[in-house]
Amino acid sequence: MRYWVIWVIAFLWNTNQPFYTNAQEAEIDTSAFSNVAVTAFYGRAKWQAIPGSVALIRSSTIRNSPTTTLLPAMNSQPGIRMEERSPGSYRLSIRGSLLRSPFGVRNIKVYFDDLPLTDAGGNTYFNLIDISQIHSAEILKGTVAAAYGAGTGGAVLLQSGLHFSEQKEHRIYGGIAGGSYGLLQQQSGWSYQSSKFTSSLQQVHLQSDGYREQSAMRRDGFKWQGITRTDRQQWRFLSFYTNLYYQTPGSITEAQFNQNPKQARQPTAVLPGAVQQKTAIYNKTFYNGVHHQLILNNNNSIRSFAVLSVTDFKNPFITNFEERTEDNAGAGTQWQYKWGNDVHQLQWNTGIEWQYQFASIDNFGNRRGVKDTLQYSDRVHASQWFVFTQLQYQLSDKWMIQAGISSNEQSYRYKRLDSVNMGYLTKKIRSVITPRIALSYQMTPMITWYALAAKGFSAPTLAEFRPSDGNFYGDLNAETGWNFEIGWKGYLFHDQLQFDVSWYRFRLNNAIVRRNSASGAEYFVNAGSTIQQGLEAMLKAKLISGKTKGIKNVYLTSSFSYQPYRFENYRQGNNVFDRNPLTGVPRYTWVTGVHLETVGGWYINTSINATAAVSLNDANDARAKPYQLLQGRTGYRKNRFEVFLSMDNGLNQVYSLGNDINAVGRRYYNAAAPRNFTFGMNFGLR
């Protein structure tokens, strides 16, 4: 009863517009598939012309999400896997990069409107961003270090959709939704648009009691964005503050998972459980960034950015209570030269990016959620930089070539304050040259073939050099590897079918994997090499497009990933793990969805995700069972008003979405919620 009273009060308090609002309307795109353009690799080109694997998440996909997170949208793309260990705790991997990410986002570079969210320590707090703040996304799969710096997993380019308008417009908007397990989501905001200046101010709130014990969460955020321009200059501003709290229930054994999947990590003879220790994450982050573009003439332009952020982080854990403050700074600039005629097109980008982080890390004892005696007090300085140059040349109306190279460097300075006469220890990952060359051929006006070879580089992150066990692992080395890929993409049947098929082979050396101490604290080691060879396929078909007997559109989408990844030359003591499946990566995933929209404004969006079994440890003697996840959303959307009902886990599967790989005590499982529902309304005023 208490929950519904809160829900009604919040509903009456808000003045709303569509919940996933942006500067542009996010209706289902009824235009031609072939009109889609991407900005990957710092240019603007048709999606099928780019010689590489670029996944697109459109605004309509985000707007019709059946959950309050990006998980369904991300997981609808082949080769991409996003997990949720508990509400607020997300992991993201591209082509198997989850191997080294027990939590968070590592080995992937993330940008928001061309500003880096990934810090100098290699970590990205992806959970600070609300789904309503994202308009669309481009995901570059595989090694892209030649243009985006270190990272063998890929890059994620988030876009807000903020743009100019020839007509001045003020808009007040908001939205509210509530659902199972105490879910409450709310947002409100104001935007202004004109031909020279655009501003957007937004407030968001999300809370949930969680399905499991010790899994409640709450997130509050404020964001302001602005754009202003003159004839030759454009300035973009981004500022946000997020106050995030989520409890961490911890993983459980298979027997506990089968008996009662709701339970949190249980006490043992020597260690208390998650409930007793009040395990949780507290993250308060203030982020500011500015991006500037200067057009020198018809051929030359310069883009620059600067970012500053501060994070206050607390983590009461089973064995300790960590307090951490992080001060981050970054800057970058690049010059772009463009030249072209009716036959040949040339684009040349050269730039540099630099980032710095100072982290103050203190570990205390944890006495039932209250910090106790100081155990460690550390100071870490992390810095990274890379320089790159990239050339894209349209040789003819059929051939395009991309060639780029970058030099990357990462360094850490570490000091423990309570050690007598201890100076700073220095770890420097020396400059690594990472080239990329790609070629595409337009087989027909609508179909393109491409091939590429690229070297990747990924230094250990701060959380891996200095993990939760309180030690500094200065002997960790960077991962490197070569990726070879071929693919076909384009459109068939008079633009009624969009397809993307690719095959790749990536050999990763010095793979970083997670280990656990007897107490459950994590640490990381280099573990030989892996062979990550796979196949990806995506289809999107217009079954009905246009007004046909009251039906406006019917779309069918399907994506398939085949990932038979293996360890190579990997031993742990006397154990030989050569040829074992890569830990945490399903052999295949297959996601199929249907979207139907009527002329009258009614719509239904549904999908099913079939995921294969997952190896839970490097020895491959424990595996999570396969599952089939049914999700859907239906509603009415007309004249800037919407009411909707969404469903998650419609088949009521018992499964773990976010396994703890290589966990001590064989505690691998983090149970996801059974069948659950969300109801919401969105409306607004111009």
Side-chain angles (χ1 to χ4, degrees), residues 44-84:
R44 184 171 180 84
K46 288 189 175 182
W47 164 80
Q48 73 271 24
I50 295 293
S53 187
V54 181
L56 303 178
I57 299 179
R58 296 190 178 188
S59 59
S60 56
T61 302
I62 295 175
R63 185 176 188 181
N64 291 314
S65 174
T67 74
T68 58
T69 73
L70 274 174
L71 266 75
M74 287 288 187
N75 291 332
S76 68
Q77 305 300 314
I80 300 168
R81 180 172 172 82
M82 192 171 180
E83 299 181 344
E84 184 179 61

Side-chain angles (χ1 to χ4, degrees), residues 33 490-499 538-542 556:
F33 283 149
Y491 311 94
L492 296 170
F493 307 118
H494 304 289
D495 203 25
Q496 297 301 299
L497 177 69
Q498 180 184 5
F499 73 93
M538 182 277 294
L539 295 174
K540 184 173 183 179
K542 299 177 185 176
L556 171 69

Side-chain angles (χ1 to χ4, degrees), residues 68-115:
T68 58
T69 73
L70 274 174
L71 266 75
M74 287 288 187
N75 291 332
S76 68
Q77 305 300 314
I80 300 168
R81 180 172 172 82
M82 192 171 180
E83 299 181 344
E84 184 179 61
R85 301 168 72 205
S86 61
S89 177
Y90 307 129
R91 301 191 301 199
L92 177 64
S93 69
I94 301 175
R95 292 182 174 175
S97 61
L98 183 65
L99 180 66
R100 58 187 281 198
S101 294
F103 64 90
V105 180
R106 302 175 187 171
N107 200 27
I108 297 171
K109 198 71 176 287
V110 181
Y111 292 82
F112 190 10
D113 281 352
D114 297 324
L115 297 171

Side-chain angles (χ1 to χ4, degrees), residues 88 95 99 156 196 222 279 284 300 314 323-324 373 412 416 419 425 442 451 467 492 497 574 605 621 651 668 677:
R95 292 182 174 175
L99 180 66
V156 177
K196 297 293 184 180
F222 298 88
T279 55
K284 298 178 182 179
N300 295 275
K314 293 181 176 64
E323 288 188 343
R324 185 166 75 241
T373 306
Y412 291 95
R416 176 149 291 174
S419 296
L425 301 176
Q442 189 173 329
L492 296 170
L497 177 69
N574 295 324
N605 192 74
D621 61 6
L651 299 178
Y668 303 121
F677 299 90

Side-chain angles (χ1 to χ4, degrees), residues 338-406:
K338 282 187 174 184
W339 171 87
N341 55 36
D342 294 338
V343 179
H344 305 286
Q345 300 285 333
L346 173 68
Q347 178 181 301
W348 185 12
N349 290 71
T350 299
I352 182 171
E353 287 191 19
W354 166 86
Q355 288 181 286
Y356 168 80
Q357 179 184 81
F358 171 69
S360 174
I361 309 173
D362 297 326
N363 284 89
F364 303 85
N366 182 9
R367 184 161 45 89
R368 295 187 175 274
V370 179
K371 65 181 182 181
D372 203 344
T373 306
L374 178 67
Q375 298 176 345
Y376 310 109
S377 183
D378 300 337
R379 303 295 181 264
V380 184
H381 301 260
S383 64
Q384 63 169 259
W385 60 262
F386 73 94
V387 295
F388 78 96
T389 186
Q390 176 182 272
L391 185 71
Q392 178 176 295
Y393 184 52
Q394 186 79 40
L395 288 81
S396 67
D397 58 350
K398 292 184 177 295
W399 289 96
M400 174 188 286
I401 186 171
Q402 280 185 347
I405 191 169
S406 70

Side-chain angles (χ1 to χ4, degrees), residues 589-631:
T589 57
W590 189 3
V591 183
T592 299
V594 176
H595 178 89
L596 181 150
E597 184 179 359
T598 70
V599 175
W602 293 95
Y603 68 89
I604 183 169
N605 192 74
T606 184
S607 67
I608 187 163
N609 181 327
T611 298
V614 174
S615 177
L616 298 175
N617 59 24
D618 297 344
N620 193 34
D621 61 6
R623 295 168 67 84
K625 296 179 181 179
Y627 61 85
Q628 298 77 43
L629 182 61
L630 177 65
Q631 298 173 307

